[in-house]
Structure formats: C-alpha cells, structure tokens
Amino acid sequence: MLLISCPHCGPRAEIEFAYGHEAHIARPTDQEKLTDAEWADYLFMRKNPKGVHYERWVHARGCRRWFNVARHTVTHEILAVYRMGDPPPALDR
Amino acid sequence: MTRRNLRLADRGRLDRSQPIRFIFNGRTYYGYKGDTLASALIANGVALVGRSFKYHRPRGIMTAGSEEPNGLVQLGQGARTEPNIRATQIELYDGLVAASQNCWPSVGFDLGATNNLLSRFFPAGFYYKTFMWPASFWMKYEYFIRRAAGLGKAPGEPDPDRYDKTYAHCDVLVAGGGPAGIAAALAAARAGARVVLADEQAEFGGQLLHSRSEEIAGRPAVDWVAAAVAELSTMPEVTLLRRTTAFAYQDHNFVELVERVTDHLGPGADGPRQRYWRLRARQVVLAAGAIERPLVFADNDRPGIMLASAGRAYANRYGVAVGDKVLVFTGNDSAYRAALDLAEAGTAIAAIVDLRPDAGGPLVAEARGKGIEVLAAHAVTATRGSARLEGVTVMPLNAAGDGVTGGGRQIACDALLMSGGWNPAIHLFSHNRGKLRFDERVQSFVPGEPVRGCHTAGAMNGAFETADCLAQGFAAGRKAASEAGASGEAGSVPTVTRAEPAESPDRVLWIVPSDKPLGEGGKHFVDHQNDVTAADVALAHREGYRSVEHLKRYTTMGMGTDQGKTSNVNALAIMAALRDRQIPEVGHTTFRPPFAPVTIGAFSGHDKGDLFDPIRKTPMHGWHEKTGAPFEDVGQWKRAWYYPKPGEDMHAAVAREVKAVRAGVGIVDASTLGKIDIKGSDAARLLNMVYTNAWSKLEIGRCRYGLMCGEDGMVFDDGVTTRLGEQHFLMSTTTGNAARVLGWLEEWLQCEWPDWQVHCTSVTEQFATVGLNGPMARKLLAELTDDIPLDDAAFPFMSIREGHVAGIAARVMRISFTGELTFEINVAASYGLALWEALMAAGEKYGITPYGTEAMHVLRAEKGFIIVGQETDGTQTPQDLDMAWIVSKQKPDHLGKRSFLRTDTARPDRKHLVGLLTENPSEVIPEGGQVVAELKNQPPMTMLGHVTSSYYSPNVGRSIAMAVVKNGRNRMGDTVYVPLVDRVIRAKVTEPRFFDLEGARLNG
Ligand SMILES: [Zn+2]
C-alpha cells in the first residue's frame, strides 16, 4: 500500500485515495472535427509505461481534492506530487 | 503405542511446576508451560503426527519453527476448529485438543496410504495430466481424491472469536527478534527512534534460546537477551510484539503483521484472539534469520527425521530428547552442536554421518573426543521404520559424492538429525522486490542490491556466527534510526565474550546418492508437504518443464501452505544440476506474501456482520420496521420493500399497493435519492455539460429531468434537477449512484474546469423526502398546507414551491416516477417521521397506502420509466433507451456528445430498449432471461439481448416486461422467444410503455 502525500493534507495511506488514471489528457475542443480514431484515442488509449507515469489521484476519503503524481511503475516510488494545472516535472528516470 | 518419556531432566525453558493436560487424536497427554504441541508430542514419544498429502506416508515433526512442512494439525473443536496449524507454533495450554490431518479413517490405519503403493500413478504433473483427460473422468476421481487428500477441515459454524485490527507507524520496524534483531532494536531505540520489534515466537532470542555455551557481554546468551529485552521494554517509544509474524512487506515500507494475542491461552480467553497490524515504517530492518536445509536422501521423511537445529532446540529450549538413540547426518559443523548438546544431556548418539571426507575442525574433534563415532565421507542410503524411525543404512561415498562404494552398514536409531546447510530467510526482502544474489559460500540466496528504506542483518545475509549477527544488527539499527532522523548515542555493539567453536567448511550434496538409481527404491523427498521427490524434479526436467516457474507448477513444488520454505533451494539446485547449469542461472521463483498462512478472521477483524459495511437508514426507518416491512438493500441504504398486511405474501401486498396508488393515494419514502446542492455563477454551465439536455433557460422554481452520460456516450445516471435560484440548483441522483455523481462533478470541476465558479455539496442526508402519489394526493395535501396553492395553474407539473406541510417547512415538487399526480415533499431530515405520520393520519380517510420499492418498480415500469442500472449496464446511449428526445441538438457541447457520432454508437441496429408482452398474459418472464429470434432445441442460440425488468401488472391486467434487444426498434410486433431450462416463453416486441400512454393522469 503506497504512502501518498496529498498536497493539501500531507502523507496518507493509499486506501484514502482513488486512482484517476493518466494525467495531462486535455479534453479536445472542436470535437466534431476529430476522426473516430482521434476521439477514441482521447477516450480509451492510455499510456502504460515501464517507468515514470504521470497520473491523477484524488484524496477521496480526505479533502476530496484532485492532484497529480509522478510514479515509477516498477518501484512504485513517488517522484513528485503536484497540483492540478501544474505542468509535469521533468524527471529523467 | 507404548508411552515413552523423552523429557530431559535439567534442560529447557519450561515451567515444570504445572503440568498441562492436552488431547491428541483422542488420547490424553501431559506437557509443561513453555512447550509447543510439537515438543510435548515428542516428549510423549509421539513421533507419528500426520500423513503426507499425496502418498499418505507417515510423517512426524521435522522442524521447530514456522517452516514446518509435516506437522500440520487440526486444532480445536466445533466452531473454533482450525486446519493446517503448525504443531511447532502451537503453545501448549490446558485442555488443548488437536488431531492429525490427511488420514482416513485414522492416523495409524490410513486407507490412503495405498497411494504410496500406487505412487507410480501419482507422478509429477499428476493433476495436470488428469485434468487433460475428459472432464467427466476427473469428476469421478475428484470425490475420492479430495476425501483422501484434503488438508484438514474448515469449521462449519461462524467463528466465535474476536479479531482486532490496528494501524501503526514507527521510525524503525525490526522484523525478527534473534541476536541481529535485538541488536538492531537496541541501537535504533537508544538513538531515539520509535521502534517496533516483532518476532513470531513467544520469546525473543531466536537461536540464542537454544545456545548453551555462548556468552554475550560477559553473561550467558539467554541472560543477555533478557537484559536487552528489559532495557527495550522500559523505553516508551519501543513496542515489543511477541508471537507476531511479519507476513508481508509491501510498497513504501508498509508491513503487515499478525499478532497471536491470546491463542496461547486457549479458546475463550480475554481479549482478541489475534491482531492484524498494518504498519508503516520509515525504515525496516529485516533480521529474519535462516532456515536449515534438509538433506535429500532416500526415505528422508520417516517420523523421527528432523532438522539438526530442531533437535538442538527441542533439547536445549524445550527439554526434550528427540529420541533415545539419535543419528546425526550432516555436511557441515552446525549439526555437531546438536549432537554434542544431546550427548551432554545423556542421550545416546548412534553416529555422526558426515558427507565430508575431510571432516575436521574443533567441533568434529570435540565429538570424537566425547566418544561419538564420526563416519566421514559417508551417507545414509536407506531408512527403516513406519510409525517411527528404527534404523538406517550407511554407506561410504565415492570421491565425487555422486555414488556409494557399497558395504552398507545397518545402524539402529529412533531419530535422525539432518543438516544440509542453511538458507537465509529472504522471503520478506523478496516481497518488496529485493533482488537476490546466490552466495557461493552459503550455497543459497541472500539479499542482493539494497532496497531503499530496508536494511538486512544477520543470518538472512548469510552471517551465521552470533558475533556477526550482533554487529550487523547493531549497525543496521543505527543506520535505520539515523535515516529516520534519530541519531542519538547508541552505545557500542554487544560483544560475544565466549563464542561457540568456529565452523569448518561445508560439503553440499544436493542429492545424497544411494546404491539404487534415483526413483527406484526409496523416495528422496524434496518438498515434504506436497510430496515432491527428486525423481519428480528429474521427470519434470525430462518432460521439458525446466524453468523454475514451470517446475514449481508442474510438480506443485513449494505450493503447499509452507510455500516450500525447506524445499525451494534444494529443488532449484537439483534442477540446475540436471540442466548442467549453475544455480544462479536457473534462478528462483518469486516469494510472495503471506510468509506464513494468516487466518481470514484476522483480515476481517471487526468488519463483519453489521459492521461489514455501513448501514444507512432513512428518518422513517423505524416506522417501516414497526409496520413489518421487509427491507431491500440499495447500495448501503435499507429501503422498505413492501408493507404486507396480515396474511399477505409479497405478491399480494405489491398488487394491493400498485392498485391503491392508481386508485387513491400512495405514500413512499424517497429519502434515499441522492441530493446535491449546486451553487455558483457557473452552476448552469456545469449542468449543461454533464446532462445531455439544455439547462440555461430553466426558470427559477422549475424542475427538469436529465440523463448523465460518460464521455463514451453511455448513460450512467438520471434524475430531476430543480432551479432554486439564478445560481442555485438542487440535483437528485439515483440512490446507489449519489457518491459517484458527486465525485464525477468534482472531478470535472477540479481537473478540467478549475476556473468555473461552482460548489457542489451533498445534502442527501439533510432532507427527508416523501412522495404522495395518486389521484387523491392533492386533496390530502390541501388539508395539511395553507401556504402552498396546489392547483395546476399555480403549481404546475415540474415545478417547486416552498411553504409548510403539517406545520413543517417544506420544499414541495411536482415530479412523478409513477405517472400519477405526485407531490414530493422535502423537509429537514429530523422532521421526516413527523411529516410521514401527519400524512398517514390525515390520509386515513383516503385509504392512504404506503408502498415500497417493489411497487415503485412496477408502477414506473407500467409507464416505461427506466431505472439506471437495471435497464442500463453501462453500454446504453440515450438513443438506445428510446430517449433521443433528451439529447439537445442545439448545445455545442456536453459530456458524451461526440461519442454519439462514433460509428459503433450511431449504427441503427444496436441493442434497443423495447417492451415485451408474453403470449400468455399471466406468465411473467424471469428477469435476465435471454431473448432469441430463432429457437433451437438446445443452446447455443443467437442471443439478441436480455429481459431487464419484468412484473405482473395488476393495473394493466397482465404481465409486462422491458428488454434490451438487438435492432429492437425495428422488430416491433415480431415474436421473440425466451428459452428457459424447463420451458420457452413466447412474447411480442412492443413499445416500452404499457399504461396511460397519453399521460393523462399526471394532473390527477
Ligand atoms: Zn487531502
């Protein structure tokens, strides 16, 4: 069980959080102009890297705020926690 | 069986003032406080403890710890009986009752033992090979095999015991309380760290508890242990957990432990039986020790054959000789200590059979000096005895160690202590993705690269000497404390002031040869619990199962409850030799939690029965209960299902309720519907995005029904939302989805539209909601309000009015889930019951009828109103549900809009919601029934969809059903079939609406 530092509440056990899949996927504007494949890419396709993954979490059983996490998918090491809207930090791992 | 007494007079850490009575296999025995069931059985001369899993061979105790593969017993009786408990870990208490497993009808006469004779039919891969025969063949075997091979019995009654669960945090967790662990805890605690020290045994000390001559810091080792534990127990930030197994080491230094709080006191003791610790440690020190390796020789499984260290522990710690005449078989020096200690206690040593041609060194010399015969370069090649070992055959080894040179000598003995070396207990380290390294010196795996936040010390690093354990443990404890931020003065490393004699090098023979080829004659057991032999490993190799993962699954090696603690390394080494590879090239299987089995009760803790999940009740719950309504679970809510009158069954009650609603007035408790208060300048903008229809122009005081879709265009919730003010809405959701919808709104607001000014607040529990439905609803309500005009003009359908009902401040809405004239009255939750009772009293003369969820479902189905989650399963668009009317064509955007254009969502022959009318009007189709167009004599048939809702409707006068059917809207009037096990129901496809098609009843 991971230990996740909520940017608003501090370190808490994973059971207080809910996972919200890959971060930094902007909702497309001009959707009508997208092909089905492009729309499907937004809708369904997610990265599954062996390495650093930028992802969203919500402190569902705490402050209920969403935030971003950079997590290494092999070691589960949490390399960064940053707020919604902040750009992903460059991590060269 | 003759009674024997193998108790040693002046040995052991037992309290001999009080004998303890216990029962094993129906016979009464006595032991002492401080005994385990294993030590007490050995003391009483009981060598035969159970039967093996596959061959039902007689087996006895093999170890003195949690690695025990053989001595599994059924412990306790009745509701408290528990299977597969290791006799080596059961502390004796008065009245203990235990029995052998795997024997039928009894341990002495076991029918399954014929498996041993038939063992050529049970080779490696037996289960897989059997499964590959026709399935029906397996079914026939299964009964016999399960009966004969089962591992103990599960209790048939609920567990009467209490289990506790706790979350804890510490700076340094030390797992393992032997010399390394104690030293680590001392260093860390003295440095100021908050320390938890856990050990699975009843006492701290590990191997020091059975050491005899060692001295630490100038006193006997056990006295040093006592002093160290005393020091630790005075420190307020130190928690000492005895009888506590760290069974899983998870991510981010999260360690799961189970503490056997009162197991050692027997059933019904004060306090919880066990406590499940979920511990987060800043730093972890693993000092898990090592597990002795059995020797793989012919028939190495007879009762009385044990690990040498176990023999020493039984003698020195439990005051028990493992036999009257003990033979020691070893490839290393450590087993000599057991021989010397037993000899000193007066037990005859038959011989020490040593694999090493050059057996020398101080321990060997000491043994020889004591007159013990040492047979260097010899091997045990056969064993005799059934219920107990009676003797062995010993032969000289050839130089290569892969054969014997003949000249077998018979030696009588009733116990054999074996040692093939030591395997560091790297299990926990491995749980946390720690990489292992093969150590040539110890011929086993040790921790490789260090893992962040984790330190290892002592025997699990391959450091078997006490001085090294103390030094490594102390250093690890100090380092862990410092990395956790505590760097006070830790003092100096405890020193060994009198050491045991140094050991000379080992000789490792992974298979001890005999005068017969492997697999002929005796069985060389590798995995005693799962009855896997060296010949099985060789067979797996011949059949191509050479990777360690395949080997494991094909032979079931290491897949028993002991997870192969004593067998894994031997098996890997044997496979490596067969493949002519080095052991590190063959690799190892992954160790996974739990280190030792954990009872399910410990995981559930208090979370069972009523505490399993929160129960939510409406303010009127007590009234429903008093009226005799059974309840239906909807999410966590309890909802009144129906209100039976005396003599009524469910069918009769529901029929009465649905008729009463349409004829007079019905009352329903709708408090469980989710309610979300939405405020802010962008509130309408939010609704426009999350619902498919348009919300900007909704007037204040008006209500509107909405469907919520995901971005995939699939419906996931519905409900009525009311505009209370320019920037203020009250959204209702389905009962089960309230939390999910609130989460959905918040996710979009926080992640996608963070600059929008909207606040969402759950108010579900702040309001009680009562629905008054039926033609008499207006008349009744008029009696109870004087500030809300109720006529259609002043209070039209889909609007809200505020005022008082029965003197209670209320928001009243005209919305309807039955198609009848409906007033939905919302009051503060604390007034819910008062409102309900006032309406019931005033409604009596109108025949007011409370109705439950079942009648509600029938009434809405008559009107064709969907229930999200019943008509939908996450694959329906609004168009599929025949609700294209609710999707705005004008709005530029809403969640899911683009998905309606996807080729798959836009195709005209998707599954559509339709009605089904059975040919026989009184026949009700079972919900979930599969719909087909073409009937065949037997499956498979092409399924078009399934029945989502189905009831008998007294108001329509026949059965009604809704279904999702492929291309359903283009099948109107067609006949379809619902094939069931015993009959076929024919039905006609219709519109999904059955009653009051023109909607005339809405206004009463
Ligand atoms: Zn938080």
mmCIF file of all heavy atoms in Angstrom, chain B residues 533-555:
data_model
loop_
_atom_site.group_PDB
_atom_site.id
_atom_site.type_symbol
_atom_site.label_atom_id
_atom_site.label_comp_id
_atom_site.label_asym_id
_atom_site.label_seq_id
_atom_site.Cartn_x
_atom_site.Cartn_y
_atom_site.Cartn_z
ATOM 1 N N THR B 533 9.381 -35.389 -4.950
ATOM 2 C CA THR B 533 10.672 -36.040 -4.760
ATOM 3 C C THR B 533 11.683 -35.554 -5.794
ATOM 4 O O THR B 533 11.315 -34.925 -6.792
ATOM 5 C CB THR B 533 10.529 -37.566 -4.917
ATOM 6 O OG1 THR B 533 10.143 -37.829 -6.268
ATOM 7 C CG2 THR B 533 9.483 -38.126 -3.967
ATOM 8 N N ALA B 534 12.942 -35.903 -5.547
ATOM 9 C CA ALA B 534 13.986 -35.576 -6.518
ATOM 10 C C ALA B 534 13.680 -36.246 -7.850
ATOM 11 O O ALA B 534 13.944 -35.683 -8.915
ATOM 12 C CB ALA B 534 15.342 -36.030 -5.983
ATOM 13 N N ALA B 535 13.079 -37.441 -7.796
ATOM 14 C CA ALA B 535 12.716 -38.128 -9.040
ATOM 15 C C ALA B 535 11.645 -37.351 -9.803
ATOM 16 O O ALA B 535 11.627 -37.334 -11.031
ATOM 17 C CB ALA B 535 12.228 -39.544 -8.733
ATOM 18 N N ASP B 536 10.740 -36.688 -9.073
ATOM 19 C CA ASP B 536 9.728 -35.858 -9.729
ATOM 20 C C ASP B 536 10.375 -34.685 -10.448
ATOM 21 O O ASP B 536 9.954 -34.291 -11.543
ATOM 22 C CB ASP B 536 8.709 -35.329 -8.704
ATOM 23 C CG ASP B 536 7.791 -36.426 -8.175
ATOM 24 O OD1 ASP B 536 7.493 -37.359 -8.942
ATOM 25 O OD2 ASP B 536 7.378 -36.328 -7.008
ATOM 26 N N VAL B 537 11.376 -34.097 -9.810
ATOM 27 C CA VAL B 537 12.080 -32.974 -10.440
ATOM 28 C C VAL B 537 12.753 -33.476 -11.714
ATOM 29 O O VAL B 537 12.695 -32.835 -12.772
ATOM 30 C CB VAL B 537 13.111 -32.347 -9.477
ATOM 31 C CG1 VAL B 537 13.878 -31.222 -10.176
ATOM 32 C CG2 VAL B 537 12.432 -31.831 -8.215
ATOM 33 N N ALA B 538 13.334 -34.659 -11.620
ATOM 34 C CA ALA B 538 14.005 -35.224 -12.797
ATOM 35 C C ALA B 538 12.986 -35.515 -13.902
ATOM 36 O O ALA B 538 13.249 -35.268 -15.083
ATOM 37 C CB ALA B 538 14.745 -36.505 -12.411
ATOM 38 N N LEU B 539 11.806 -35.996 -13.522
ATOM 39 C CA LEU B 539 10.764 -36.266 -14.507
ATOM 40 C C LEU B 539 10.308 -34.970 -15.180
ATOM 41 O O LEU B 539 10.150 -34.908 -16.404
ATOM 42 C CB LEU B 539 9.571 -36.964 -13.837
ATOM 43 C CG LEU B 539 8.382 -37.274 -14.762
ATOM 44 C CD1 LEU B 539 8.778 -38.266 -15.837
ATOM 45 C CD2 LEU B 539 7.199 -37.810 -13.951
ATOM 46 N N ALA B 540 10.106 -33.944 -14.365
ATOM 47 C CA ALA B 540 9.718 -32.647 -14.923
ATOM 48 C C ALA B 540 10.768 -32.174 -15.918
ATOM 49 O O ALA B 540 10.449 -31.675 -16.997
ATOM 50 C CB ALA B 540 9.533 -31.620 -13.800
ATOM 51 N N HIS B 541 12.021 -32.365 -15.559
ATOM 52 C CA HIS B 541 13.118 -31.968 -16.448
ATOM 53 C C HIS B 541 13.042 -32.745 -17.765
ATOM 54 O O HIS B 541 13.127 -32.179 -18.848
ATOM 55 C CB HIS B 541 14.449 -32.215 -15.739
ATOM 56 C CG HIS B 541 15.642 -32.030 -16.626
ATOM 57 N ND1 HIS B 541 16.314 -33.081 -17.204
ATOM 58 C CD2 HIS B 541 16.243 -30.901 -17.045
ATOM 59 C CE1 HIS B 541 17.303 -32.610 -17.944
ATOM 60 N NE2 HIS B 541 17.291 -31.289 -17.869
ATOM 61 N N ARG B 542 12.811 -34.056 -17.681
ATOM 62 C CA ARG B 542 12.739 -34.881 -18.886
ATOM 63 C C ARG B 542 11.561 -34.487 -19.754
ATOM 64 O O ARG B 542 11.619 -34.558 -20.971
ATOM 65 C CB ARG B 542 12.595 -36.363 -18.497
ATOM 66 C CG ARG B 542 13.883 -37.022 -18.044
ATOM 67 C CD ARG B 542 13.805 -38.545 -18.186
ATOM 68 N NE ARG B 542 12.718 -39.146 -17.433
ATOM 69 C CZ ARG B 542 12.773 -39.416 -16.128
ATOM 70 N NH1 ARG B 542 13.855 -39.138 -15.439
ATOM 71 N NH2 ARG B 542 11.739 -39.971 -15.516
ATOM 72 N N GLU B 543 10.466 -34.044 -19.097
ATOM 73 C CA GLU B 543 9.281 -33.698 -19.874
ATOM 74 C C GLU B 543 9.314 -32.247 -20.339
ATOM 75 O O GLU B 543 8.340 -31.742 -20.891
ATOM 76 C CB GLU B 543 8.021 -33.995 -19.047
ATOM 77 C CG GLU B 543 7.898 -35.491 -18.767
ATOM 78 C CD GLU B 543 6.562 -35.903 -18.168
ATOM 79 O OE1 GLU B 543 5.770 -35.016 -17.824
ATOM 80 O OE2 GLU B 543 6.346 -37.121 -18.052
ATOM 81 N N GLY B 544 10.401 -31.577 -20.040
ATOM 82 C CA GLY B 544 10.596 -30.247 -20.617
ATOM 83 C C GLY B 544 10.209 -29.087 -19.719
ATOM 84 O O GLY B 544 10.249 -27.945 -20.144
ATOM 85 N N TYR B 545 9.821 -29.381 -18.492
ATOM 86 C CA TYR B 545 9.444 -28.301 -17.573
ATOM 87 C C TYR B 545 10.683 -27.865 -16.808
ATOM 88 O O TYR B 545 10.920 -28.313 -15.698
ATOM 89 C CB TYR B 545 8.326 -28.760 -16.637
ATOM 90 C CG TYR B 545 7.072 -29.075 -17.392
ATOM 91 C CD1 TYR B 545 6.828 -30.356 -17.875
ATOM 92 C CD2 TYR B 545 6.136 -28.078 -17.665
ATOM 93 C CE1 TYR B 545 5.697 -30.646 -18.610
ATOM 94 C CE2 TYR B 545 4.994 -28.357 -18.398
ATOM 95 C CZ TYR B 545 4.776 -29.633 -18.865
ATOM 96 O OH TYR B 545 3.655 -29.909 -19.592
ATOM 97 N N ARG B 546 11.481 -27.014 -17.426
ATOM 98 C CA ARG B 546 12.805 -26.735 -16.894
ATOM 99 C C ARG B 546 12.920 -25.376 -16.243
ATOM 100 O O ARG B 546 13.807 -25.171 -15.417
ATOM 101 C CB ARG B 546 13.837 -26.862 -18.013
ATOM 102 C CG ARG B 546 13.928 -28.316 -18.458
ATOM 103 C CD ARG B 546 14.732 -28.506 -19.701
ATOM 104 N NE ARG B 546 14.613 -29.911 -20.111
ATOM 105 C CZ ARG B 546 15.314 -30.459 -21.073
ATOM 106 N NH1 ARG B 546 16.197 -29.733 -21.735
ATOM 107 N NH2 ARG B 546 15.144 -31.725 -21.381
ATOM 108 N N SER B 547 12.090 -24.435 -16.642
ATOM 109 C CA SER B 547 12.161 -23.139 -15.960
ATOM 110 C C SER B 547 11.619 -23.336 -14.542
ATOM 111 O O SER B 547 10.770 -24.199 -14.307
ATOM 112 C CB SER B 547 11.344 -22.088 -16.710
ATOM 113 O OG SER B 547 10.141 -21.833 -16.036
ATOM 114 N N VAL B 548 12.148 -22.559 -13.620
ATOM 115 C CA VAL B 548 11.757 -22.791 -12.226
ATOM 116 C C VAL B 548 10.263 -22.576 -12.020
ATOM 117 O O VAL B 548 9.642 -23.250 -11.203
ATOM 118 C CB VAL B 548 12.575 -21.910 -11.254
ATOM 119 C CG1 VAL B 548 14.029 -22.353 -11.262
ATOM 120 C CG2 VAL B 548 12.456 -20.436 -11.591
ATOM 121 N N GLU B 549 9.685 -21.628 -12.791
ATOM 122 C CA GLU B 549 8.248 -21.380 -12.632
ATOM 123 C C GLU B 549 7.440 -22.585 -13.132
ATOM 124 O O GLU B 549 6.428 -22.953 -12.548
ATOM 125 C CB GLU B 549 7.828 -20.109 -13.376
ATOM 126 C CG GLU B 549 8.490 -18.824 -12.863
ATOM 127 C CD GLU B 549 8.032 -18.422 -11.463
ATOM 128 O OE1 GLU B 549 7.031 -18.978 -10.973
ATOM 129 O OE2 GLU B 549 8.699 -17.561 -10.857
ATOM 130 N N HIS B 550 7.903 -23.173 -14.234
ATOM 131 C CA HIS B 550 7.211 -24.371 -14.743
ATOM 132 C C HIS B 550 7.398 -25.546 -13.789
ATOM 133 O O HIS B 550 6.469 -26.286 -13.498
ATOM 134 C CB HIS B 550 7.745 -24.749 -16.125
ATOM 135 C CG HIS B 550 7.339 -23.778 -17.176
ATOM 136 N ND1 HIS B 550 7.984 -23.662 -18.380
ATOM 137 C CD2 HIS B 550 6.355 -22.854 -17.186
ATOM 138 C CE1 HIS B 550 7.403 -22.714 -19.095
ATOM 139 N NE2 HIS B 550 6.416 -22.201 -18.399
ATOM 140 N N LEU B 551 8.632 -25.678 -13.294
ATOM 141 C CA LEU B 551 8.930 -26.764 -12.361
ATOM 142 C C LEU B 551 7.993 -26.695 -11.160
ATOM 143 O O LEU B 551 7.412 -27.692 -10.738
ATOM 144 C CB LEU B 551 10.390 -26.652 -11.903
ATOM 145 C CG LEU B 551 10.796 -27.563 -10.749
ATOM 146 C CD1 LEU B 551 10.783 -29.016 -11.211
ATOM 147 C CD2 LEU B 551 12.171 -27.189 -10.220
ATOM 148 N N LYS B 552 7.845 -25.465 -10.651
ATOM 149 C CA LYS B 552 7.008 -25.270 -9.472
ATOM 150 C C LYS B 552 5.579 -25.718 -9.749
ATOM 151 O O LYS B 552 4.992 -26.491 -9.001
ATOM 152 C CB LYS B 552 7.042 -23.791 -9.088
ATOM 153 C CG LYS B 552 6.044 -23.383 -8.030
ATOM 154 C CD LYS B 552 6.206 -21.913 -7.673
ATOM 155 C CE LYS B 552 5.031 -21.447 -6.834
ATOM 156 N NZ LYS B 552 5.194 -20.053 -6.412
ATOM 157 N N ARG B 553 5.028 -25.253 -10.863
ATOM 158 C CA ARG B 553 3.617 -25.540 -11.115
ATOM 159 C C ARG B 553 3.403 -26.988 -11.539
ATOM 160 O O ARG B 553 2.386 -27.590 -11.226
ATOM 161 C CB ARG B 553 3.082 -24.563 -12.159
ATOM 162 C CG ARG B 553 2.833 -23.211 -11.527
ATOM 163 C CD ARG B 553 2.880 -22.065 -12.519
ATOM 164 N NE ARG B 553 2.759 -20.783 -11.837
ATOM 165 C CZ ARG B 553 3.788 -20.166 -11.246
ATOM 166 N NH1 ARG B 553 4.974 -20.706 -11.245
ATOM 167 N NH2 ARG B 553 3.614 -19.011 -10.626
ATOM 168 N N TYR B 554 4.369 -27.532 -12.256
ATOM 169 C CA TYR B 554 4.190 -28.896 -12.756
ATOM 170 C C TYR B 554 4.292 -29.920 -11.638
ATOM 171 O O TYR B 554 3.539 -30.898 -11.596
ATOM 172 C CB TYR B 554 5.234 -29.180 -13.847
ATOM 173 C CG TYR B 554 4.922 -30.407 -14.661
ATOM 174 C CD1 TYR B 554 3.731 -30.485 -15.386
ATOM 175 C CD2 TYR B 554 5.792 -31.478 -14.714
ATOM 176 C CE1 TYR B 554 3.430 -31.593 -16.131
ATOM 177 C CE2 TYR B 554 5.497 -32.598 -15.470
ATOM 178 C CZ TYR B 554 4.308 -32.655 -16.176
ATOM 179 O OH TYR B 554 4.007 -33.767 -16.917
ATOM 180 N N THR B 555 5.212 -29.679 -10.725
ATOM 181 C CA THR B 555 5.377 -30.652 -9.644
ATOM 182 C C THR B 555 4.605 -30.260 -8.390
ATOM 183 O O THR B 555 4.532 -31.038 -7.451
ATOM 184 C CB THR B 555 6.862 -30.783 -9.245
ATOM 185 O OG1 THR B 555 7.314 -29.508 -8.793
ATOM 186 C CG2 THR B 555 7.721 -31.227 -10.414
#
